[in-house]
Every structure is written in C-alpha cells, then in structure tokens.
Amino acid sequence: MTYAIEAFNISKKIGDKAILSNISLLIPRGVVYGFLGANGAGKTSFMKILMGLWRTDSGTIRLLDKELKGGDAVYRSVGSIIEAPIFYQESTARRNLELHRDYLLGVEPGRINQVLAMVGLLEDSDKPVREYSLGMKQRLAISRALLGRPELLILDEPLNGLDPHGIRFFRELVKEINEKEGTTIIVSSHILDEVAKVANTIGIISGGRMVAEIPMQSIGDNLGDLEETYFSIVQGKGA
Amino acid sequence: MIMVAKNRLTGLSHSLEMVQLLRNETGRARFPQYILVLIIGNVLSLFLAVSSSGVMSGSSPSGLSTVDLGMMLMRSVLIVWQAVLIAQIVIGEYQSRTITVLFAYPYSRGKIITSKLLLISSIMVSAHLISTLVQHVAVFFLQSTNPAITFTMQNPLNIVAVSLSSIFLAFLPMAIGMKFKSTITTIVSSLVIAAIVSNTQGSSAGILSNPVIAIVLGAIGLAAGIYTYKNMLKEDL
C-alpha cells in the first residue's frame, strides 16, 4: 500500500509546552481521513507541520512518497486550507485564484472558472474578497485548494463559518472529489458528527498525542456509539 | 559527467524558479504609483531646495549648494518610500498572514523572500539613479536663472556610496516592522531614521552626506536586514 502521508514520531514544543508528542500517522492514498480533536488538541499544529509552515523538533514526514525538506516540489500536488481562509482582501476572488495559478504553474486554462463554479462563486468572482462572508471565503479557499488538481488535500477546519447548506454542499464535494479524482483528503474538525459523515477513518488527537484511530466501518450508522467511544478514549488517555 | 549535467540542470531550474517568482512579484507591483511618487518627490525636493537656497534673501541659510540640499531632501523621501514598499511587499504579507499561503507553495522560503527583496532593491536603485540625475540636471539648468541657485558636483563615487548606503540603511525599518509584524511600525521607524540622517546639525548636508558615516549606517542596515532574513527562513508561522 502506498501512503499519501507518512509521519514518524513528530514532536513539537513551544517554549516548555509540548504541542505535539511523538505523533506517528499513516494515511493511505485515496482515503478521506477525519482528524478529530478538541480546540487546542494539536490539529492545526500538525497540519502546519505538514505544509512546512512550522518546523518540527524531531521526526520525519513524507508526503506522496517524498520526504519534506522545505519548499518542496511535492506541494504542487497538495492543496490546503490552514487555520483560516486567507486572501488578498482588496483583490477580487478571481485575481486571488490567478495569483495562486501563477505560483503553481501548469494549471490548464479555464480551470479557474471551473473551480469557481464548483463552489458556486462564479457570479461573485469579480467582487473583492473583503466583501465576502466567512462562508464565501471558506468556499473560495476550497476552490483555491482544488485549483492545481491536487493528489492530496489538507483541510484544516474547512467547515468553520459554513451554514447548514454549505456544510452539506462541502460534504458532497469532498465525496465527489475523492471518488472521481481519487484525491486523498485529510479534514480536521472539532465537531464529531461532521467528520464522521465524510471520513473513512477517524484519527483522534488529544493533548498533542494521537490517541486512537477508528475505521468508520466499525461504527456503522450509530454515531452515538462514536461519541461514547470518543469520550471514553479522550478522558481515559488524553491530557 | 552525469553529476555535472544534473547539477547544471538543478542550477538551471533554480534560476528559472527565481525568474518565475520575480515575474509574479513584478506582476503585483504598482508601477504607476511608483512613478507618481518619484515625480512628486523629485519636484518637491527641488522646489524646497531652490526656495531655501536664498532665492528670496540672496544668501543660502544652510551654506549648502542647491544640489546638495535637493539630494538630501530626496534621499529622505526615498528612505521613507522604501519603507512603504517594504511594508506593502513584505510586512503586509505577514500582517495579513497571506505569507502562510506563499510559503505553502513549492518554492523555498529563501527564494520567495529573496524575490521580494530583489524587487524592492531594483526599484530603489532605479529611483536613486533617476533622482540623482533629475536633481543635478534641473539645478544645472536653473542656476543661470538666479545667482542664489548653486550647482556643485560631488565625486560620483561618493554619490554611489551614499546612495547604496541609504538603500541598505532603509532595510532597518524592515527589521523593526518584522518584530511587530506591523506596516505602520515599518513606516514610522523610517520617518525617524530619515529625520536623524538628514538632520543638518551634525554635518551641513545631514550625516548621510558623509560617505564614511553613510557606509557605517549602511552596514548597520545591511546587518539588520540579513538578521531579519535569516529569521524569516526559520520562523514558525
């Protein structure tokens, strides 16, 4: 089996505080992996390390079979949203995507309209991002992440700010991209139900440690069981 | 043999990446605005230099030639303007956190920041060159209109040394602005620096007009710039 993400013994301290402790994680290609944890559990920190925004104190990471060294070519095949949807506020949505294209290279013509249409922003694409609601920014961030037809999508709390409509839409989009293009997707959230509905596997992080991995097949439709499992795991082993 | 070819190829792809990054940065630069600033700055410096050369009273209160006065004023303008560019092109990306998007691209941080600094430096070198020419040519032709307008010619090497030094010195506000991730701090600190170096009490045309002091100040700016650059490479964002 080949993996989209292979993390070995990742640790990170800030000052004296251990943010991540010995995280090891294997995410096979082609899955939707839910990364579940309370606020401050270490989800964003881990994803920042995956995207090279943070250095690790120890451990190694391989993305799509390439070991990370910094500024890696592999990021051409990785789409991401980290922490919050961030844009040049004064530029239009379209301009923001054009800038993104200029850095990725090799994006086919027409792809910008395609991804804008996918997230339902084609009509608003000539407005400056400053006029966008958080939900619209979140959608735009998803379209930007998809622009380069990534093999791997790293989405940190992509559901923040989405209304129920947007959440359902996002869920369907994730399924579609995963099934049609075979994209590996890692989605973090602090809301259990949301992750459970899109993921094949759920990884639970607590106090900077991976505490469990649960295949969704073993849960079936009974999300109540998942909640019980989650709390017993987190309270048993967590910080 | 293969190794040599491979090294050449990586060397080539490295410089191609730099070209691409520079092209992206240049595409976002606001050249019409830059030209406007350059015109206004030069006209204003020239006007102030001419009017304080004693056109009205008949004698220059500072004892400076009109050219030296114009150059001093222009350099102060350029120091502040360079800080504005640094704020727009570098610090603004940190303040708005768009830098996290840039750093997630398939280019090293070093190349991304270098492309930004190269763009700023090239704009500034051109700005100093153009302004020096404008001030000298304008005063040269204006001197015949009024005896109080005086043209002198500094040693060209001095001019180059002082101009380069003030470009380096103007990277000091970048170091200060990066500490606070604030565009305002960047610009305010440049105002302070401009005020200090063009203070005419230390030396008649401001301490920056003394090549030795200029080079020392330039070295300080350069050191602060290099220190900041190195921090940018390893900073957690």
Side-chain angles (χ1 to χ4, degrees):
Chain A
M1 186 182 287
T2 63
Y3 295 97
I5 298 176
E6 300 161 84
F8 302 104
N9 300 317
I10 301 300
S11 293
K12 174 75 182 173
K13 272 188 182 175
I14 294 182
D16 282 340
K17 192 171 186 288
I19 305 292
L20 298 174
S21 308
N22 268 317
I23 294 222
S24 292
L25 194 62
L26 291 174
I27 299 182
R29 285 186 191 241
V31 305
V32 179
Y33 190 94
F35 206 41
L36 182 66
N39 291 323
K43 303 184 296 291
T44 299
S45 309
F46 182 67
M47 287 180 155
K48 282 184 170 180
I49 286 170
L50 289 183
M51 290 312 295
L53 296 175
W54 275 17
R55 289 178 308 159
T56 57
D57 296 336
S58 60
T60 54
I61 292 192
R62 291 164 64 83
L63 292 186
L64 304 168
D65 299 320
K66 310 251 173 10
E67 189 164 327
L68 290 189
K69 294 189 184 85
D72 304 79
V74 71
Y75 287 124
R76 243 177 256 293
S77 314
V78 181
S80 67
I81 305 177
I82 301 293
E83 217 171 12
I86 293 165
F87 296 95
Y88 296 101
Q89 297 281 335
E90 300 305 314
S91 302
T92 64
R94 182 177 297 280
R95 179 76 184 127
N96 269 283
L97 293 186
E98 285 167 359
L99 289 171
H100 195 69
R101 175 200 60 196
D102 292 344
Y103 283 93
L104 288 185
L105 306 177
V107 174
E108 71 263 24
R111 178 69 179 161
I112 289 181
N113 280 337
Q114 210 177 350
V115 292
L116 281 168
M118 275 167 103
V119 297
L121 283 177
L122 201 50
E123 282 183 13
D124 294 309
S125 63
D126 292 318
K127 282 187 189 160
V129 173
R130 130 179 75 80
E131 292 175 13
Y132 273 31
S133 67
L134 178 57
M136 289 167 88
K137 281 186 203 164
Q138 204 66 268
R139 284 166 183 250
L140 183 60
I142 292 167
S143 73
R144 181 171 61 187
L146 292 174
L147 192 67
R149 295 188 186 280
E151 291 172 54
L152 170 64
L153 263 181
I154 296 176
L155 306 176
D156 183 21
E157 301 273 2
L159 298 168
N160 270 359
L162 291 185
D163 55 18
H165 231 73
I167 290 177
R168 169 186 268 184
F169 164 82
F170 170 80
R171 204 187 304 144
E172 283 161 7
L173 186 65
V174 163
K175 284 214 165 113
E176 188 187 316
I177 296 161
N178 175 248
E179 281 162 16
K180 279 196 187 156
E181 314 214 359
T183 311
T184 310
I185 303 173
I186 169 167
V187 185
S188 80
S189 178
H190 58 280
I191 302 167
L192 191 144
D193 289 21
E194 288 174 354
V195 186
K197 282 181 186 157
V198 294
N200 315 123
T201 304
I202 290 184
I204 297 175
I205 183 169
S206 176
R209 294 172 188 277
M210 286 301 294
V211 289
E213 239 178 37
I214 306 170
M216 280 309 289
Q217 286 160 322
S218 70
I219 298 289
D221 288 332
N222 196 344
L223 291 182
D225 284 0
L226 179 61
E227 193 172 280
E228 284 308 310
T229 317
Y230 173 77
F231 281 114
S232 66
I233 290 167
V234 169
Q235 280 159 3
K237 294 186 192 171
Chain B
M1 189 64 190
I2 295 168
M3 275 301 281
V4 172
K6 206 178 163 191
N7 281 343
R8 276 204 191 134
L9 265 179
T10 19
L12 184 70
S13 76
H14 277 303
S15 37
L16 279 178
E17 277 183 14
M18 252 342 270
V19 170
Q20 182 59 40
L21 287 172
L22 256 175
R23 194 184 294 161
N24 290 353
E25 288 297 336
T26 313
R28 290 162 53 192
R30 307 168 193 175
F31 287 107
Q33 190 195 85
Y34 305 161
I35 292 168
L36 195 69
V37 169
L38 209 52
I39 293 172
I40 294 175
N42 267 295
V43 170
L44 215 64
S45 301
L46 186 66
F47 175 76
L48 287 173
V50 167
S51 54
S52 54
S53 289
V55 177
M56 308 295 171
S57 62
S59 72
S60 168
S62 58
L64 283 176
S65 76
T66 312
V67 174
D68 287 346
L69 210 52
M71 288 294 289
M72 179 192 86
L73 292 166
M74 195 57 221
R75 280 194 186 113
S76 306
V77 171
L78 291 180
I79 285 175
V80 177
W81 184 42
Q82 186 170 336
V84 173
L85 289 181
I86 291 169
Q88 284 176 350
I89 296 171
V90 182
I91 311 289
E93 300 256 25
Y94 280 87
Q95 196 174 323
S96 65
R97 298 196 55 78
T98 45
I99 195 77
T100 60
V101 178
L102 285 184
F103 283 171
Y105 289 132
Y107 305 92
S108 71
R109 286 188 184 196
K111 280 186 195 144
I112 290 173
I113 300 167
T114 304
S115 67
K116 288 176 174 296
L117 298 182
L118 262 177
L119 175 67
I120 295 169
S121 308
S122 338
I123 294 172
M124 290 321 294
V125 167
S126 323
H128 276 268
L129 204 69
I130 293 167
S131 304
T132 305
L133 277 174
V134 167
Q135 297 299 322
H136 281 80
V137 170
V139 174
F140 182 79
F141 284 108
L142 283 175
Q143 63 178 338
S144 59
T145 63
N146 189 314
I149 300 173
T150 47
F151 179 84
T152 53
M153 188 67 203
Q154 295 263 347
N155 180 346
L157 268 178
N158 275 5
I159 296 179
V160 171
V162 172
S163 296
L164 283 180
S165 299
S166 64
I167 293 175
F168 285 133
L169 175 64
F171 278 109
L172 190 57
M174 179 172 86
I176 300 167
M178 266 304 286
K179 263 248 160 321
F180 302 96
K181 306 281 190 291
S182 154
T183 51
I184 307 262
T185 310
T186 313
I187 296 167
V188 169
S189 60
S190 77
L191 285 168
V192 175
I193 291 171
I196 294 172
V197 297
S198 55
N199 180 348
T200 51
Q201 281 174 349
S203 148
S204 55
I207 51 175
L208 204 57
S209 67
N210 178 326
V212 179
I213 297 176
I215 288 169
V216 172
L217 289 174
I220 292 172
L222 184 64
I226 291 171
Y227 173 78
T228 310
Y229 173 82
K230 286 194 165 167
N231 275 343
M232 286 169 163
L233 295 188
K234 56 185 187 192
E235 189 179 22
D236 285 341
L237 289 161

